[in-house]
Amino acid sequence: LNQPLIIQPGTVVKLKPGATLVLTKKLTAMGTSADPICFLPVHQRQNPWGAIVLAGRGTDDSILTHCEMSGGSGRKDDMFEYSGMLSIHDVRGVLISDCTLRNNRVVDDMVHVVYSEVRMERVAFQGAISDALDLDISQVEIRDSQFENSGNDAVDLMSTKAVIAGSIFRNNGDKGISVGENSNVVIHNSIFRENNIGLASKDGSRAYILYSDLKDNKMHLSAYAKNWQYGAGGTAYIYKSYVMGKLNQFNSTNNSSVTIGDSSIVGEISQRGKNLIFRQDVDYFDSKKTSNEINMSIIHPLFSHILPVKDKNKRGSDLSSNELTKRN
């Protein structure tokens, strides 16, 4: 479609198997909470439809709010490939807010962003077949969003700069966030829970985790080198955060490093690799002890069923026990 497209609230766009909509001009899809805009298969049991594509600078400043999207895949031809149910290629100023994307099929990514600048607010990614959000050579801001039950990574960064705040990464098959190929990410006020790996930093990348909670991930943090072309491994920094699990695993190999400072760790620690730095201001607690034995020490409200908060200066993300409650 080579002209601007406006989709009104309450519209349902039904797509047949393989159907792909490529937009080369601005998309304005502004639903409401009462009347969302839906992109759905014509029949629930049909083969997947293709992709919704924002292609090129003509689609700058496109908006999707209160939209729902499910049952898509991607599209590949001899001259191009769209590897996400929602694909954004070479676009600036995209806003995606209050949207839900779920259950893509066949093609790896639920959403693929490349050479673009995108802001996401209150977006839910549910049940991606592989990666929920794949970011390549882009600049992205993600706030107050949820990534759950992805088959592979919740967020995969390649040569990308990102800020992620107030978000939840839960039960993802591989990594909550994969930071790779010379990427940089700052993560604030977020939760990593029950992922295979909370966060991995590799191949010249840097990840900063602040005021966040990592709980019951099989491995909380991993830093390593995968692609020799980048000449180094990854680095990860955790500050003023809370880490908890029966076994808290950290990995740092191949010219990589993990640094933890001014944080609390509850449970046993398992370390792999040499460059694991636990600063002197890290507090350690045995999760088997009672609150009286630990003397009411500084544990985040998220873990209030174990210990109450004492020192408000070391609070983490200040979340209630209901982690899915919407935040400011």
Side-chain angles (χ1 to χ4, degrees):
L1 185 64
N2 296 314
Q3 62 188 47
L5 174 62
I6 298 173
I7 303 178
Q8 298 290 349
T11 301
V12 178
V13 181
K14 292 189 174 182
L15 297 118
K16 292 183 177 181
T20 293
L21 176 60
V22 179
L23 303 171
T24 63
K25 300 296 181 182
K26 181 178 177 179
L27 169 64
T28 304
M30 299 180 66
T32 67
S33 58
D35 293 302
I37 295 168
C38 299
F39 299 85
L40 304 171
V42 175
H43 304 291
Q44 288 301 316
R45 296 185 179 182
Q46 73 177 39
N47 289 331
W49 50 272
I52 305 298
V53 182
L54 303 179
R57 298 299 303 275
T59 61
D60 283 2
D61 302 317
S62 289
I63 301 174
L64 292 90
T65 64
H66 292 287
C67 293
E68 299 179 6
M69 193 174 295
S70 67
S73 55
R75 178 74 181 270
K76 184 176 181 179
D77 283 339
D78 292 338
M79 299 298 293
F80 61 84
E81 180 178 4
Y82 302 122
S83 63
M85 177 171 67
L86 174 60
S87 293
I88 301 171
H89 288 219
D90 191 25
V91 191
R92 307 291 183 272
V94 177
L95 172 63
I96 303 172
S97 67
D98 300 289
C99 292
T100 299
L101 301 103
R102 58 170 67 91
N103 301 333
N104 66 311
R105 298 165 60 187
V106 183
V107 177
D108 282 352
D109 305 327
M110 185 174 283
V111 177
H112 183 221
V113 177
V114 60
Y115 299 119
S116 296
E117 296 176 2
V118 178
R119 181 158 55 99
M120 297 183 177
E121 300 175 349
R122 299 174 300 280
V123 180
F125 295 79
Q126 301 171 353
I129 190 172
S130 185
D131 293 349
L133 177 59
D134 195 318
L135 305 170
D136 295 336
I137 317 171
S138 295
Q139 297 186 36
V140 179
E141 180 179 349
I142 301 168
R143 294 188 177 274
D144 302 318
S145 295
Q146 301 168 18
F147 299 82
E148 297 188 277
N149 302 315
S150 305
N152 197 51
D153 301 333
V155 178
D156 186 358
L157 289 76
M158 183 187 81
S159 302
T160 288
K161 295 179 180 179
V163 174
I164 300 173
S167 296
I168 296 171
F169 303 86
R170 183 201 292 271
N171 195 35
N172 295 290
D174 195 3
K175 307 169 192 73
I177 303 178
S178 176
V179 190
E181 291 84 18
N182 199 31
S183 292
N184 288 275
V185 61
V186 176
I187 300 145
H188 180 269
N189 194 32
S190 294
I191 290 175
F192 297 81
R193 185 167 184 175
E194 298 171 355
N195 304 286
N196 185 50
I197 300 173
L199 178 143
S201 179
K202 54 187 184 292
D203 301 331
S205 297
R206 291 177 178 265
Y208 303 86
I209 302 174
L210 311 170
Y211 295 96
S212 294
D213 297 316
L214 297 91
K215 184 179 180 184
D216 294 334
N217 303 289
K218 290 184 180 179
M219 178 174 289
H220 292 308
L221 273 181
S222 183
Y224 55 95
K226 183 178 180 181
N227 190 332
W228 64 268
Q229 293 177 327
Y230 290 88
T235 56
Y237 304 85
I238 301 181
Y239 293 110
K240 294 187 179 294
S241 294
Y242 291 84
V243 180
M244 183 176 180
K246 291 182 179 179
L247 183 64
N248 299 296
Q249 296 195 60
F250 303 92
N251 172 71
S252 178
T253 57
N254 305 117
N255 298 317
S256 301
S257 66
V258 172
T259 302
I260 301 175
D262 201 9
S263 298
S264 295
I265 300 176
V266 180
E268 296 182 31
I269 296 174
S270 174
Q271 305 179 34
R272 301 179 187 175
K274 297 180 179 180
N275 296 321
L276 290 158
I277 302 166
F278 296 85
R279 291 190 351 188
Q280 292 182 351
D281 52 9
V282 174
D283 299 311
Y284 304 93
F285 302 105
D286 185 343
S287 60
K288 297 179 182 178
K289 290 184 178 181
T290 66
S291 58
N292 289 331
E293 289 176 297
I294 302 180
N295 194 26
M296 309 289 283
S297 296
I298 50 161
I299 299 300
H300 189 268
L302 179 63
F303 308 142
S304 59
H305 61 288
I306 297 174
L307 294 172
V309 170
K310 179 181 178 183
D311 186 351
K312 292 185 178 181
N313 292 324
K314 285 193 176 182
R315 291 172 69 91
S317 54
D318 198 22
L319 298 173
S320 69
S321 59
N322 179 4
E323 295 141 319
L324 299 183
T325 300
K326 287 186 176 180
R327 302 176 204 90
N328 293 330

